[in-house]
Amino acid sequence: MITPLQQRLSQRAKALLNHPQGMGNYFTFKAAIDILGLSWDKLVPGGVYNITGPGYYDMGYMANHIGPPKSALDAFIAASRHENLVVYPPDCMPELKHLVADHKFGRKLGADFEVMGVEGAQGGIGYTYLSFLDQGDEVIVTDPGYFHFVPAAEICGARIVAIELNEANGYRLSPKEVEAAITPKTKMIVVCDPINPFGTVQTKEELLAIAEIARKHDLIVFNNITHNTHRTNPKAVQIPMASLHTPATPMDHVISVSGMSKGYGMPALRVGFMAGHPDLIRGAFLTKMEITKIHINYPGQYAALAAMQDKEYVKRSTETIRRNLAHLEETIASTPGVTMPISPDYGFCTMIDVSGTGVTAQEITVGLLNHKVAVIPGDGLGQVKCADYIRLNYSHPDIACFEQFRKALPKAISEAKEGRYAAAVDAFFAKAGTERGRIIRNRIAPRLKKMAEKV
Ligand SMILES: Cc1ncc(COP(=O)(O)O)c(C=O)c1O
């Protein structure tokens, strides 16, 4: 499904047009807006990535809905001055680099550790892939995993080797499975910790074992820790891999990434950080310079500096997130056919499994939007249980969001069971034309057939 004009696109761009994780090809509440005949202007005015329409609640993409601390807003406004806007700022101010190194990555800046500013954690993903991946390299990632880990690597010519997250591995990367997935072509292991979408964290032993495997095979470890600010489970401990650097366990092959969107509720700043050995960061710095230049806006940097020092904000927002999770877990426990495979340890994302309902996650997504809750089903996050999983963002500051979800979920399931959305979801995937879409269509087909027979 490439138009004649699109033949002029690069192979990279062409590969995205029909990618199952390419935006528009996977199902979200946005597809549900069209299916329900709702107004884009009212629900997502200006094309934002979360539902902001009155009366609606967003549990979809991973913005932290608590929003920024006041300290960060004040710093942002104070820094929005003529002299800060009239120059090209540095990639990161020295004080910000120091703070990020200590506070986020747990390692001192120095001859063997450097921090570079990037456009959000996503910028860190892009520059890590661009700086290390060549055609034919293999990258180990989890399935499910964050949307962009797969397509972003593939547009660099790399091949994905997926490790399924499941009950047996505790929804974490198992070093044994990582070792088994390595071939002579392996170049990188993506360690997203906490893991988007389950919110699980790796143990220290697992991290050391993965680092050791990577050292043995001359690989890069990409450690994305952007969801580590809020400890949802008071007993859990998340450890940045950079902080495990010792003479006996050198972490110079680890690239670390974080950002301001999740922990501090400021995705619009587009401020993030990429860190590692200066020899490696130099390659990424030059890559970045040639593509988007090295500068990160000053107001955003000052806001980041203030936010990361605001301990009270993190404490309060963690309390809100824990409250929300407790409410959500009660809802899931009392909804037949729905389970939460594992309780999250950190961050504010979790997965629910709706396979016991007999209908697809995509149909339930439409039903949920019909009852004013926006969510994203699993097909954008991977192949595993792509018709069964729904990812939920549980950061909303208003408990009314979770009350609404409690009311909406059984209604959405029952509407989906009536078959109200089956044909429209089927049509969405027929148009997307992806293999993954076919799996979902195959799940809907017998019910569509039965419905047609009844008519
Ligand atoms: C694991 C992970 N990495 C990166 C990002 C992008 O974050 P940012 O807004 O900082 O670019 C997200 C957002 O959901 C994420 O979940």
Side-chain angles (χ1 to χ4, degrees):
M1 281 196 293
I2 292 181
T3 70
L5 202 54
Q6 284 174 332
Q7 292 297 349
R8 299 180 190 200
L9 291 169
S10 67
Q11 292 305 329
R12 282 186 301 281
K14 275 187 200 155
L16 289 180
L17 289 175
N18 300 114
H19 197 290
Q21 292 178 213
M23 189 159 266
N25 298 339
Y26 61 88
F27 204 86
T28 71
F29 57 86
K30 292 201 166 186
I33 296 178
D34 287 336
I35 291 173
L36 295 167
L38 300 171
S39 155
W40 282 67
D41 284 342
K42 281 198 188 125
L43 268 63
V44 286
V48 292
Y49 274 89
N50 39 340
I51 291 266
T52 56
Y56 282 84
Y57 294 100
D58 191 283
M59 298 177 79
Y61 284 106
M62 278 299 139
N64 168 353
H65 296 316
I66 294 165
K70 181 169 180 312
S71 54
L73 271 179
D74 291 346
F76 185 89
I77 291 163
S80 299
R81 292 197 314 264
H82 179 98
E83 58 272 35
N84 281 343
L85 300 180
V86 77
V87 291
Y88 280 114
D91 74 280
C92 261
M93 305 181 293
E95 58 269 50
L96 183 55
K97 285 194 184 199
H98 279 286
L99 183 68
V100 169
D102 293 353
H103 184 70
K104 278 284 140 195
F105 299 127
R107 191 169 163 188
K108 290 267 168 240
L109 276 190
D112 59 1
F113 194 63
E114 172 65 316
V115 171
M116 176 174 89
V118 286
E119 300 86 342
Q122 183 67 42
I125 298 171
Y127 296 119
T128 301
Y129 282 177
L130 277 173
S131 310
F132 294 99
L133 297 180
D134 287 314
Q135 193 71 32
D137 286 343
E138 290 179 359
V139 183
I140 295 174
V141 299
T142 66
D143 183 339
Y146 175 52
F147 305 99
H148 307 291
F149 287 145
V150 169
E154 287 176 352
I155 62 178
C156 295
R159 199 179 81 79
I160 292 295
V161 176
I163 294 185
E164 175 178 333
L165 296 178
N166 53 35
E167 200 178 347
N169 54 30
Y171 300 91
R172 302 193 308 271
L173 258 190
S174 130
K176 259 196 201 146
E177 289 175 284
V178 170
E179 180 101 66
I182 286 173
T183 75
K185 292 192 169 160
T186 309
K187 181 69 186 285
M188 186 182 290
I189 306 167
V190 176
V191 181
C192 182
D193 181 35
I195 294 185
N196 176 351
F198 291 103
T200 41
V201 293
Q202 302 287 151
T203 65
K204 182 175 175 187
E205 291 67 34
E206 287 164 351
L207 294 172
L208 286 170
I210 292 169
E212 174 59 25
I213 292 166
R215 261 193 304 274
K216 199 168 79 188
H217 293 276
D218 288 333
L219 312 178
I220 290 290
V221 178
F222 174 45
N223 187 213
N224 181 328
I225 60 165
T226 199
H227 285 272
N228 81 345
T229 309
H230 300 105
R231 190 201 319 220
T232 343
N233 169 5
K235 293 197 186 117
V237 182
Q238 192 277 343
I239 305 169
M241 287 183 86
S243 72
L244 296 174
H245 179 79
T246 66
T249 57
M251 294 289 161
D252 293 336
H253 59 324
V254 174
I255 295 292
S256 305
V257 158
S258 190
M260 298 306 295
S261 308
K262 319 296 162 199
Y264 308 94
M266 299 187 283
L269 287 188
R270 308 313 304 135
V271 174
F273 313 100
M274 175 172 174
H277 194 284
D279 289 356
L280 300 182
I281 294 297
R282 170 86 181 134
F285 173 91
L286 291 171
T287 303
K288 180 171 191 277
M289 184 65 205
E290 295 313 319
I291 293 178
T292 57
K293 299 231 265 179
I294 54 171
H295 316 286
I296 304 289
N297 72 91
Y298 267 133
Q301 293 202 43
Y302 279 106
L305 200 55
M308 269 189 274
Q309 296 175 89
D310 195 332
K311 290 203 181 104
E312 193 48 36
Y313 167 82
V314 173
K315 191 167 160 269
R316 271 186 287 110
S317 48
T318 302
E319 280 162 13
T320 302
I321 286 169
R322 285 182 186 173
R323 174 204 68 180
N324 296 348
L325 180 62
H327 194 287
L328 191 57
E329 287 190 317
E330 267 177 35
T331 303
I332 302 308
S334 62
T335 309
V338 183
T339 56
M340 189 181 287
I342 189 155
S343 186
D345 288 325
Y346 268 77
F348 45 84
C349 64
T350 190
M351 283 286 237
I352 59 170
D353 183 337
V354 299
S355 51
T357 63
V359 286
T360 62
Q362 288 70 20
E363 290 163 275
I364 294 177
T365 295
V366 185
L368 282 169
L369 192 70
N370 194 33
H371 295 283
K372 309 216 157 159
V373 179
V375 301
I376 300 183
D379 58 289
L381 300 162
Q383 186 99 346
V384 172
K385 286 186 159 264
C386 61
D388 296 329
Y389 279 144
I390 296 179
R391 192 189 66 177
L392 302 175
N393 172 340
Y394 58 94
S395 69
H396 205 294
D398 189 346
I399 197 72
C401 168
F402 302 91
E403 296 289 355
Q404 183 62 28
F405 181 73
R406 187 168 286 180
K407 283 190 246 152
L409 185 58
K411 289 183 188 161
I413 294 168
S414 111
E415 288 169 9
K417 281 183 171 173
E418 285 165 22
R420 276 209 219 173
Y421 310 123
V425 170
D426 182 65
F428 173 90
F429 286 109
K431 186 158 175 242
T434 62
E435 270 309 302
R436 194 168 299 167
R438 197 174 307 281
I439 297 174
I440 296 156
R441 295 186 72 198
N442 287 343
R443 283 279 296 276
I444 298 174
R447 279 187 297 115
L448 272 179
K449 198 165 160 236
K450 262 196 202 154
M451 277 155 54
E453 283 163 6
K454 266 194 200 158
V455 174

